[in-house]
Amino acid sequence: WPHLREVLELLNRLLADTNFKITLTTLSIVGDLLHRWGPQIISVVGAIVPGLVEKLGDNKIVVRQTSAKLFFHIFKIVQKLRT
């Protein structure tokens, strides 16, 4: 996917939106991309990490939990790649 980095950068900008539904939908899309592309996405996942880190401190618990789950999924993918 040649434009995957640009897609993740766009999603990172959407994570900064103050609208709860936009944030949650964006997190869902990021999760779907991670599940679908797995190891192929790791080389460009850095484009979305700043937004995910910011959402770990969000006021809404569901946003914090979803962000943490995405990080754990990223960690699992990286761990599989190292073994």
Side-chain angles (χ1 to χ4, degrees):
W1 247 39
H3 301 290
L4 190 54
R5 183 175 227 8
E6 290 86 3
V7 170
L8 289 178
E9 288 170 354
L10 171 66
L11 292 172
N12 191 51
R13 287 193 299 274
L14 287 173
L15 281 176
D17 197 291
T18 57
N19 186 309
F20 169 73
K21 289 184 180 182
I22 290 175
T23 299
L24 206 53
T25 301
T26 302
L27 289 171
S28 175
I29 292 169
V30 171
D32 290 345
L33 287 173
L34 284 171
H35 287 293
R36 171 64 177 96
W37 294 101
Q40 295 90 347
I41 204 171
I42 289 301
S43 63
V44 294
V45 80
I48 196 76
V49 168
L52 288 177
V53 169
E54 188 173 317
K55 291 302 165 184
L56 288 173
D58 195 87
N59 290 331
K60 305 236 185 243
I61 185 74
V62 68
V63 173
R64 291 193 310 262
Q65 287 176 337
T66 305
S67 297
K69 286 178 185 177
L70 291 175
F71 269 116
F72 287 130
H73 190 71
I74 291 169
F75 295 154
K76 284 181 188 177
I77 293 170
V78 170
Q79 184 180 22
K80 285 181 184 177
L81 289 174
R82 291 187 176 208
T83 57

